[in-house]
Amino acid sequence: MPFPYYSETPTRGRPAVPVTLPGSRRADQTDPATYLADKGLVDAINVALLLGQPLLLTGEPGTGKTQLAHSISWQLGFEPPLVFETKSTSTARDLFYTYDTLGRFHAAQTGQGSQEGLDYITYNALGVAILLSNNYDDVKQWLPHDFVHDGGRRSVVLIDEVDKAPRDFPNDLLNEVEGMYFKIPELGNARIAAADKMRPVLVITSNSEKHLPDAFLRRCIFYNIPFPEKSRLVEIVLARLGHFSQDSPLLGDALDFFLKLREPNSGLRKRPATAELLGWLTALREIGAGLEQPLRGSPQIASRTLSVLVKSADDQLIAEKLLADWNIGKVE
Amino acid sequence: MSRIFSPEDLISFAEDLRPAGYNIGTQQCVAAQQLLVTLAAHARLPADPRELKTWLAPVLCSSAKEQEVFYDLFERWLEQHGFGTPAAPPHAPLETQAPGLSPAARLLKAFHPLRRPRLLLIAAAVVAVAFVLVGLLLLNGPRSLAGKVVDERGQPVQDALIGFGRRTTRSDGSGQFSLALSSSILPNTLTVKHPNYVGASRRLETIPEGLVTVTLRRPTLKQQSNNRQVFTVPDSIIEFQPTPAARRWPSWLILLSPLLVLAAWLLWRARRRMSLEKMQSGRRPLLERIFLRNTTALLFRGASYRRALQELRRHRRREAPEVDSHQTVQSTAARGGLYTPVAGTRTVSPEYLVLIDRASFHDQQARLEDEVVRCLKDESVFVDRYYFSGDPRLCHNEFQTKRPLRLSDLAALHHDHHLLIFSDGASFINPFTGRPEPWVEMLSAWRGRALLTPERRPHWGYCEATLLDQGLFVLPLSQEGLAELAETINADSLPASRRAAEHAPPYPELLRQNPRRWLERHKPRPEIIRRLCEQLRAYLGDDGYAWLGACAIYPLPQWELTLYLGYSLFGARDGLEEKLVALVRLPWFRRSSMPDWLRLALIADLSQPRERAVRQALRELLVSLVERPTDGIALDFSRREVSQRIGTSALADSLRTWARRFKYESLLHALFRAESPDGPLRDYVFLSFMSGRRPGRLAIGVPYTLRRLLFPHGHSALGLRPAAACALVALLALSGWYWVTSRDIPQPTPSGDAQTVPPVEVLFVSREFKWLLSSSTRIAADEQYPVSGGYEVSYYINALEPLLSDVDVVVCVGLASSDGGPTQLNEELAYRRMRALVDGVRGLNLKGRIYGLNLGFYKGERLSGYESDQRRVIIIGIRNARQNVDVEAMLRNTFSADPFSALEVERYSQFTLTDYTTGGNATE
């Protein structure tokens, strides 16, 4: 069925067979094999790996901080990273495990369900990584029955958007992250530490380093991912979206308009980043924009996909005006 | 080859980074060292230490800002410590990375010649070379050769053709001419021609100064005998008359003048005094920042303040979205096994969102409130700080580097914070309706919110009461106020309002009515100033008023100086913060500008010993620059003599300064006020020099000892430093010398002397012959010579021999013509005829060189006085021909005169004279 799949007036009637929709393109955009890191970032990763310290990444949203953890895992031949998505209510303990106190209590009260305390524990990203770093025999007494332990191995742990957590969160992590251990009071204050040779690789992302305490910053290898230059953007697009070519008029115009939107005086409250650019280019292709078709002169195509680039109503209006001006050459 | 970057170097580098704001701990140093060792163990330590920058940055940096400048700092450090020069252009030294300077200013500072002796030398060399080139260009560039053409009687000759190389011109009615020349066409020959005169020429090696006088002469008939007409052709003369003014200045004076000026300049420069004074400019000058020793203690460090601030850090318990298992077990057991869950609690640190009302970037009240925030941070209180100007609906971060945030954005970002607003709250009330501004309600997004006002509690009025009604907890900005704030937050409720117990004088009524009026430069009436001063004294007290007067001595109010002077006057005693709160609330401290009329009034109210003490304290502070502190009191000033301004700009600047200094006497003041059309006038502190005078009351004298420190390469005056001035003077002297010597060109002597050298004679052997070409044997006779047939021809030709035996040049002027037809054929035919004639003459035994000159004409054209269809020849001999005699011009002149004037050479010649005159085609 041709695009658009959904129309304003359903004149076509209900199709006899369900419409076949395209698969998600996200997998293409997040393929770790196509991740391009600049030299500073490469060195920072190597320093973190050499020193065995957490790598703290900052930078604008959409500059590939989260994807980097996948790229590191891929390049090191590890399993995909274990991800901890920080919430505003996260505590340091949540990074290692959560315990279903209520369930345990209920089981104890009613006599139903498992009477084994271990069955009410759920290990989270760093907890899993620490357990996996040990041999099975060394930690089997702490493993719930459904925990799959495939031998001592290393893992990459991603603590995403640590700045979302309460202020105390990083401070509470200091010793545990440095020593790579945690304690479980619910299991008799058991202490589980990572095997020395198999310490997890920790990648922490934050949109800003401002809310992180100095003590925490000092324990991390820090790298701020700068927003890429235009030429670098082209390389990223070519690597991530293979069907584009370097001299594609569509790509040239799209980059031009994208960089206009990113200019400080554009008026946008939230400037689009690389991830938005990749999404936008994909959207443009989806609605039928040809690679050889310049975007300038076809504002309706860009207009229909602007919502991929700008995410608020105010910014939408500003972007529409910028697009109109850019299209007639008023903005160079 | 670069040396190895060792762990010792790393420690040294880290030490140097700390003053630049890097918070590097031992742990990071150890990690960096470990990194170097590991790299070395893996044989990955780069040979060029500069490549380590991307390895070390992630370890030593902890913010995006630090990372941004780290590479530059590292390369610069390596360069300074003997690791070789970087491939990239040099960067600013570490100390120039001090905050507060714009990137452009840092760049300029980095490339400032004072900091780059090599650059200075290169720049001087470039300027010198450019100067010499320009000088040579001016000396050898286009010049004009002017003069006059006259005849032997001194009468002007019009339409004389003057040529020099390819340039030509003609003399006007008065015989004057002017020819634009350049030295690139030298050497060349100057020629002057006129149909009625003998031409003149002269070879020139240089372009002479002064006027040229050309005297043209006519050929004259000397004798007529033996069938010969002998014309005397005198030499025309070209003479040069040097400009009288050029020789008026003796060479030594020209050489000495720049040296005398230099000596005067050096003397004047040495007598000047340095001072800091306020001046206005619409353009932001290039500001330099120096750091002076900061001996002041820190504010809000008293025990009572610290206790109050620490209270704000106290952890609090908050409800958590989870069950408290312990309490739940207990409560369930207590209720006989009935499940009774109890919500858990979590201990959290309180966080504060601080909004500071900042009237300007240099608002000292905001700086004071910054100190409160700094103390809170030092006590490990979580604070997020933003600034607003009157209306908090738009807030900026500290440096306004990001887009402003709306109040709703802040509410979303920091909804669980306590809101602390530092402001007097006046802008929160609509002055017309007396009601709170509508946006005040938006502040209710925060559960705990307080306003800390500099207004003292006894003078709270409608504004404070209204804000209290709006749920805003109003507190005085004092130790009691902060303690009360902590109490309120810990109690999590609004306390009962307290009564003002203390007595405090009111804020000056004059200032309250119209605060902006007192910032204006326009001076109020003396009685108003007196009233204002009285109210200020009453408000601040004697000590506070003296502090205000002390602050008026420095040209611009500045936060660090205010503190420094306060500590100098009163020491670090308790209660200083309260005085400071009252002081910095005044409009001059909020706007960082104090008009001179007020400064004078306040300084006048200072006692003499106190004024001396304050000036001494300021001088001592300035002298601390000798210690070269890298942190402390930062002073921004602009050097008026900074080498950006040179030449006329510098001179204009100096004049402006002079006019400004005497502005009450000088009418120029009005003009110079308008120096900067591109912006409103603003006050800046300038480091100026005054010639021989003591600084006035509004200026601060800078100790002489700092001169060498501030100007290590010599300070400039009129835009020049001594080295540059000496170089300039040397160049001027050399140029003057060159100019003088180049004007003394030895005048070329005339090529001939009419008295001693025999004149050139032109002999017209025959006026007219009719001649035959080889196709004919007949030659017609004219009235003088009976000739006929081949015999006659032979006879005649032979008869020429004795006539032409003593001539130097024989010119055969023929009227070889053709019968028409294609031009190329005509030319060929005429050439052959001419050649036959020349060959005939060549058969004679003549010693002179033989030339042919054809004056052929087309058939059918009537030639006045001659038969148009006859072929004629005129044999001309030239005696005493010599170099510099333009035979062609002479013949042309001769043919243009009687008896040949009717020939109209130019008109009837098929070819130009030069085609056949000088050998060439005709004689080959």
Side-chain angles (χ1 to χ4, degrees):
Chain A
M1 185 177 176
F3 187 83
Y5 307 109
Y6 185 86
S7 60
E8 295 165 341
T9 50
T11 52
R12 290 186 294 212
R14 181 184 162 83
V17 290
V19 171
T20 306
L21 297 174
S24 170
R25 299 299 173 94
R26 182 162 170 74
D28 297 341
Q29 294 174 20
T30 57
D31 182 2
T34 57
Y35 188 92
L36 293 181
D38 61 49
K39 183 174 185 318
L41 178 56
V42 169
D43 286 346
I45 295 166
N46 284 316
V47 169
L49 295 176
L50 273 176
L51 299 179
Q53 287 184 275
L55 174 64
L56 172 62
L57 296 169
T58 63
E60 284 183 46
T63 45
K65 299 188 292 293
T66 304
Q67 293 307 311
L68 179 71
H70 295 266
S71 173
I72 293 174
S73 298
W74 186 83
Q75 281 210 27
L76 297 178
F78 294 175
E79 292 296 314
L82 300 163
V83 181
F84 178 78
E85 285 163 353
T86 315
K87 307 278 191 304
S88 60
T89 55
S90 297
T91 61
R93 194 190 68 174
D94 296 341
L95 181 58
F96 299 96
Y97 73 96
T98 49
Y99 195 82
D100 183 5
T101 313
L102 194 58
R104 175 78 184 92
F105 184 73
H106 181 68
Q109 280 283 80
T110 59
Q112 296 172 354
S114 171
Q115 297 302 310
E116 198 54 50
L118 264 178
D119 290 335
Y120 295 93
I121 196 165
T122 306
Y123 289 107
N124 294 331
L126 192 52
V128 173
I130 289 173
L131 287 168
L132 290 177
S133 71
N134 289 280
N135 290 323
Y136 174 73
D137 291 338
D138 296 338
V139 292
K140 63 182 178 187
Q141 69 271 31
W142 313 122
L143 301 180
H145 71 275
D146 57 345
F147 190 97
V148 180
H149 192 291
D150 48 1
R153 64 173 168 88
R154 274 193 132 155
S155 315
V156 173
V157 176
L158 169 66
I159 303 176
D160 208 11
E161 302 193 52
V162 71
D163 52 320
K164 274 188 187 170
R167 297 267 193 170
D168 295 325
F169 179 80
N171 271 337
D172 294 347
L173 281 179
L174 292 178
N175 289 333
E176 283 85 347
V177 164
E178 201 165 36
M180 272 305 162
Y181 72 90
F182 64 101
K183 290 181 180 173
I184 311 175
E186 291 84 352
L187 300 180
N189 222 16
R191 185 179 188 276
I192 306 173
D196 274 351
K197 302 280 183 188
M198 294 289 172
R199 285 167 65 97
V201 175
L202 199 51
V203 178
I204 304 168
T205 71
S206 171
N207 288 325
S208 163
E209 74 284 351
K210 282 181 188 161
H211 295 283
L212 301 174
D214 286 345
F216 181 78
L217 289 170
R218 274 202 285 265
R219 282 170 169 81
C220 294
I221 299 302
F222 175 87
Y223 190 76
N224 177 65
I225 301 180
F227 191 80
E229 303 277 328
K230 187 175 182 182
S231 56
R232 187 71 177 164
L233 276 176
V234 172
E235 289 172 17
I236 291 170
V237 169
L238 296 183
R240 291 274 177 176
L241 309 174
H243 44 276
F244 278 92
S245 64
Q246 193 157 12
D247 50 357
S248 158
L250 177 66
L251 176 59
D253 278 0
L255 272 178
D256 189 37
F257 178 65
F258 170 75
L259 292 173
K260 287 281 168 294
L261 283 180
R262 277 196 55 83
E263 283 178 1
N265 57 0
S266 68
L268 293 186
R269 299 191 70 78
K270 162 78 175 65
R271 295 188 297 172
T274 317
E276 279 84 12
L277 173 68
L278 295 173
W280 186 46
L281 289 170
T282 306
L284 286 172
R285 291 287 293 138
E286 287 297 334
I287 66 166
L291 291 175
E292 302 306 316
Q293 177 186 3
L295 201 57
R296 206 188 282 263
S298 314
Q300 65 283 1
I301 294 179
S303 179
R304 286 165 62 189
T305 50
L306 266 188
S307 56
V308 184
L309 279 177
V310 287
K311 307 289 176 61
S312 74
D314 289 351
D315 284 356
Q316 196 86 25
L317 290 174
I318 296 169
E320 289 280 4
K321 176 151 189 343
L322 266 175
L323 176 65
D325 290 347
W326 174 79
N327 190 52
I328 58 173
K330 204 169 163 185
V331 182
E332 284 301 333
Chain B
M1 185 178 167
S2 301
R3 63 184 174 91
I4 300 290
F5 187 78
S6 67
E8 289 75 24
D9 292 323
L10 177 69
I11 300 296
S12 172
F13 174 58
E15 287 295 323
D16 287 353
L17 275 182
R18 286 194 183 101
Y22 285 73
N23 187 7
I24 298 173
T26 312
Q27 194 175 4
Q28 285 161 292
C29 284
V30 170
Q33 284 194 349
Q34 194 184 345
L35 173 67
L36 292 180
V37 171
T38 314
L39 285 175
H42 286 79
R44 295 299 300 271
L45 202 60
D48 184 353
R50 270 173 286 278
E51 290 177 25
L52 280 172
K53 63 187 178 188
T54 51
W55 293 89
L56 291 176
V59 184
L60 300 177
C61 299
S62 55
S63 73
K65 207 170 179 180
E66 288 177 10
Q67 180 182 307
E68 199 179 319
V69 294
F70 181 88
Y71 296 167
D72 288 349
L73 292 178
F74 185 59
E75 290 195 352
R76 181 69 186 153
W77 189 91
L78 290 177
E79 187 190 353
Q80 285 175 343
H81 290 79
F83 283 87
T85 52
H91 299 280
L94 292 184
E95 60 267 29
T96 61
Q97 300 299 330
L101 289 182
S102 68
R106 283 180 188 163
L107 194 68
L108 281 171
K109 198 172 178 182
F111 283 90
H112 195 284
L114 282 178
R115 294 175 171 269
R116 300 281 174 166
R118 264 184 304 172
L119 277 183
L120 182 66
L121 285 175
I122 293 168
V126 169
V127 168
V129 170
F131 195 90
V132 170
L133 287 177
V134 169
L136 288 175
L137 195 66
L138 288 175
L139 287 170
N140 298 320
R143 294 168 63 182
S144 65
L145 182 67
K148 192 174 181 183
V149 183
V150 296
D151 61 11
E152 56 268 55
R153 292 171 298 177
Q155 296 300 313
V157 177
Q158 191 177 358
D159 282 338
L161 182 71
I162 298 101
F164 191 81
R166 292 182 178 178
R167 309 265 172 97
T168 57
T169 187
R170 287 188 180 275
S171 59
D172 59 14
S174 59
Q176 307 278 351
F177 69 89
S178 178
L179 198 59
L181 301 175
S182 71
S183 55
S184 60
I185 60 170
L186 289 171
N188 222 315
T189 304
L190 175 68
T191 60
V192 183
K193 297 176 181 177
H194 191 278
N196 298 337
Y197 299 90
V198 176
S201 64
R202 183 161 170 177
R203 191 165 179 80
L204 299 181
E205 300 293 332
T206 59
I207 298 172
E209 295 289 336
L211 290 173
V212 181
T213 303
V214 181
T215 307
L216 294 181
R217 296 178 179 173
R218 293 171 189 271
T220 53
L221 187 63
K222 186 178 175 185
Q223 57 181 328
Q224 187 168 10
S225 64
N226 196 21
N227 295 324
R228 296 200 309 186
Q229 286 181 320
V230 179
F231 287 86
T232 300
V233 185
D235 283 339
S236 293
I237 299 171
I238 297 176
E239 294 175 305
F240 299 99
Q241 296 172 344
T243 310
R247 298 198 178 278
R248 199 175 295 156
W249 292 86
S251 306
W252 64 267
L253 193 57
I254 290 173
L255 289 174
L256 204 58
S257 302
L259 297 176
L260 291 173
V261 172
L262 174 67
W265 178 82
L266 286 172
L267 187 66
W268 169 72
R269 177 179 165 278
R271 289 190 67 242
R272 298 193 311 163
R273 289 167 185 263
M274 247 185 344
S275 71
L276 291 171
E277 58 182 322
K278 184 174 75 178
M279 292 183 192
Q280 297 153 15
S281 175
R283 275 189 294 266
R284 190 174 190 273
L286 175 62
L287 294 178
E288 292 189 51
R289 172 163 291 185
I290 55 169
F291 288 98
L292 307 173
R293 184 186 61 229
N294 190 359
T295 55
T296 58
L298 295 171
L299 290 170
F300 305 111
R301 291 300 194 268
S304 52
Y305 272 108
R306 291 195 66 177
R307 266 197 304 278
L309 296 174
Q310 283 166 357
E311 277 300 305
L312 290 169
R313 190 189 57 188
R314 191 194 289 177
H315 283 63
R316 292 164 182 86
R317 294 201 74 78
R318 282 261 183 88
E319 279 189 6
E322 58 196 23
V323 172
D324 184 331
S325 55
H326 186 67
Q327 290 293 329
T328 301
V329 169
Q330 282 195 342
S331 62
T332 303
R335 298 191 64 182
L338 178 66
Y339 176 58
T340 312
V342 177
T345 54
R346 186 181 291 175
T347 305
V348 294
S349 303
E351 297 181 45
Y352 298 92
L353 172 64
V354 171
L355 304 184
I356 294 176
D357 188 358
R358 185 164 69 176
S360 70
F361 264 113
H362 302 287
D363 183 349
Q364 295 195 23
Q365 182 176 292
R367 294 294 300 273
L368 177 77
E369 290 152 359
D370 279 339
E371 283 296 316
V372 177
V373 172
R374 191 167 79 167
C375 293
L376 284 170
K377 286 186 170 179
D378 287 350
E379 296 295 339
S380 300
V381 179
F382 294 132
V383 179
D384 287 294
R385 174 179 40 183
Y386 295 88
Y387 297 89
F388 66 97
S389 183
D391 182 349
R393 278 177 296 176
L394 276 185
C395 296
H396 291 87
N397 67 356
E398 190 171 356
F399 299 106
Q400 295 195 2
T401 51
K402 291 189 174 173
R403 290 178 53 79
L405 288 172
R406 291 177 297 200
L407 214 48
S408 54
D409 297 334
L410 289 176
L413 280 171
H414 309 290
H415 63 280
D416 54 348
H417 286 41
H418 294 278
L419 176 66
L420 303 183
I421 302 175
F422 287 85
S423 170
D424 59 7
S427 59
F428 289 40
I429 307 295
N430 189 307
F432 301 107
T433 63
R435 298 177 61 79
E437 295 284 2
W439 45 262
V440 173
E441 207 172 304
M442 295 170 71
L443 301 176
S444 59
W446 286 272
R447 190 158 164 267
R449 51 194 185 278
L451 182 129
L452 288 151
T453 173
E455 184 69 88
R456 296 163 183 177
R457 201 190 294 263
H459 304 290
W460 286 4
Y462 176 77
C463 171
E464 288 78 9
T466 309
L467 294 176
L468 271 168
D469 285 346
Q470 294 290 315
L472 207 56
F473 185 34
V474 182
L475 290 165
L477 179 55
S478 62
Q479 183 264 322
E480 290 80 14
L482 290 171
E484 212 173 321
L485 175 69
E487 193 182 318
T488 309
I489 288 172
N490 290 334
D492 210 10
S493 64
L494 284 175
S497 61
R498 299 187 181 186
R499 293 193 59 180
E502 76 269 38
H503 165 75
Y507 190 70
E509 196 54 34
L510 283 172
L511 293 180
R512 197 183 288 280
Q513 286 166 0
N514 186 7
R516 286 179 181 273
R517 161 68 187 93
W518 311 105
L519 292 165
E520 290 176 8
R521 297 182 178 90
H522 175 64
K523 187 179 177 183
R525 293 198 306 275
E527 60 272 21
I528 302 284
I529 297 176
R530 188 42 44 202
R531 255 181 63 208
L532 177 67
C533 290
E534 284 167 4
Q535 288 186 11
L536 284 170
R537 188 189 288 272
Y539 168 62
L540 296 169
D542 285 343
D543 284 353
Y545 190 67
W547 194 351
L548 176 63
C551 293
I553 291 179
Y554 191 76
L556 284 180
Q558 190 165 333
W559 167 246
E560 291 86 355
L561 284 181
T562 304
L563 277 187
Y564 172 77
L565 292 172
Y567 284 115
S568 300
L569 289 173
F570 312 114
R573 65 188 185 206
D574 285 347
L576 202 67
E577 286 88 352
E578 274 70 25
K579 283 193 180 67
L580 196 57
V581 169
L583 186 70
V584 296
R585 191 186 167 197
L586 298 172
W588 309 291
F589 292 89
R590 298 210 67 190
R591 300 280 170 183
S592 186
S593 174
M594 190 181 280
D596 286 348
W597 56 263
L598 180 65
R599 290 178 64 203
L600 282 168
L602 293 173
I603 294 170
D605 281 354
L606 276 178
S607 64
Q608 287 282 340
R610 185 155 267 178
E611 185 185 347
R612 272 199 299 274
V614 171
R615 289 187 183 276
Q616 180 60 27
L618 287 172
R619 270 195 294 274
E620 284 172 8
L621 181 68
L622 288 171
V623 168
S624 74
L625 182 62
V626 176
E627 299 165 11
R628 293 180 178 275
T630 53
D631 201 359
I633 299 177
L635 283 187
D636 290 334
F637 66 89
S638 176
R639 303 174 197 230
R640 291 202 66 79
E641 278 73 15
V642 78
S643 60
Q644 289 173 304
R645 290 173 171 264
I646 55 170
T648 53
S649 301
L651 189 62
D653 263 9
S654 300
L655 285 173
R656 275 193 204 105
T657 309
W658 178 84
R660 217 177 261 120
R661 191 162 293 132
F662 298 98
K663 58 187 174 184
Y664 298 111
E665 292 83 15
S666 173
L667 290 174
L668 288 174
H669 173 59
L671 292 175
F672 289 125
R673 277 182 68 87
E675 72 166 327
S676 305
D678 53 348
L681 289 173
R682 296 193 58 175
D683 294 337
Y684 295 98
V685 177
F686 284 92
L687 181 64
S688 298
F689 288 88
M690 290 179 289
S691 304
R693 292 194 308 113
R694 294 181 66 80
R697 298 194 87 176
L698 296 180
I700 298 290
V702 177
Y704 191 84
T705 49
L706 293 185
R707 186 178 286 206
R708 291 288 300 169
L709 199 66
L710 290 170
F711 300 96
H713 301 276
H715 67 270
S716 64
L718 298 177
L720 293 173
R721 291 203 183 85
C726 290
L728 184 62
V729 163
L731 279 171
L732 280 175
L734 282 174
S735 303
W737 175 79
Y738 179 81
W739 182 64
V740 168
T741 51
S742 66
R743 289 168 72 89
D744 290 336
I745 302 167
Q747 296 300 315
T749 53
S751 56
D753 188 340
Q755 301 301 319
T756 56
V757 180
V760 179
E761 293 179 342
V762 178
L763 290 72
F764 289 90
V765 178
S766 63
R767 277 184 62 195
E768 191 175 342
F769 286 101
K770 202 168 187 179
W771 54 284
L772 293 175
L773 299 179
S774 57
S775 59
S776 172
T777 56
R778 191 181 68 84
I779 185 167
D782 65 3
E783 63 276 14
Q784 294 181 26
Y785 298 97
V787 288
S788 63
Y791 175 78
E792 283 81 7
V793 170
S794 173
Y795 165 77
Y796 171 67
I797 293 295
N798 291 334
L800 286 176
E801 266 188 24
L803 294 173
L804 298 173
S805 61
D806 56 348
V807 299
D808 304 316
V809 178
V810 177
V811 182
C812 308
V813 180
L815 299 176
S817 65
S818 70
D819 297 332
T823 306
Q824 193 177 352
L825 194 63
N826 285 340
E827 289 179 4
E828 181 66 20
L829 196 57
Y831 171 73
R832 286 184 184 171
R833 288 170 177 169
M834 193 67 220
R835 181 154 188 128
L837 167 66
V838 173
D839 287 347
V841 178
R842 275 189 165 172
L844 302 179
N845 183 22
L846 300 176
K847 67 173 183 180
R849 286 169 291 154
I850 300 168
Y851 297 100
L853 177 65
N854 187 30
L855 303 176
F857 57 91
Y858 286 109
K859 189 171 182 179
E861 289 283 346
R862 301 297 302 178
L863 186 61
S864 172
Y866 298 91
E867 293 297 329
S868 63
D869 58 347
Q870 290 181 337
R871 300 181 175 91
R872 306 158 193 276
V873 64
I874 302 163
I875 307 296
I876 298 168
I878 298 173
R879 195 154 57 197
N880 300 329
R882 56 180 177 270
Q883 209 171 3
N884 295 333
V885 173
D886 187 345
V887 174
E888 178 192 333
M890 193 174 68
L891 288 177
R892 188 188 289 269
N893 290 342
T894 308
F895 280 118
S896 302
D898 286 338
F900 305 103
S901 57
L903 277 171
E904 298 184 41
V905 173
E906 297 290 351
R907 182 176 169 192
Y908 291 103
S909 282
Q910 184 178 355
F911 311 105
T912 62
L913 282 171
T914 50
D915 291 333
Y916 286 98
T917 297
T918 52
N921 294 336
T923 54
E924 286 173 1

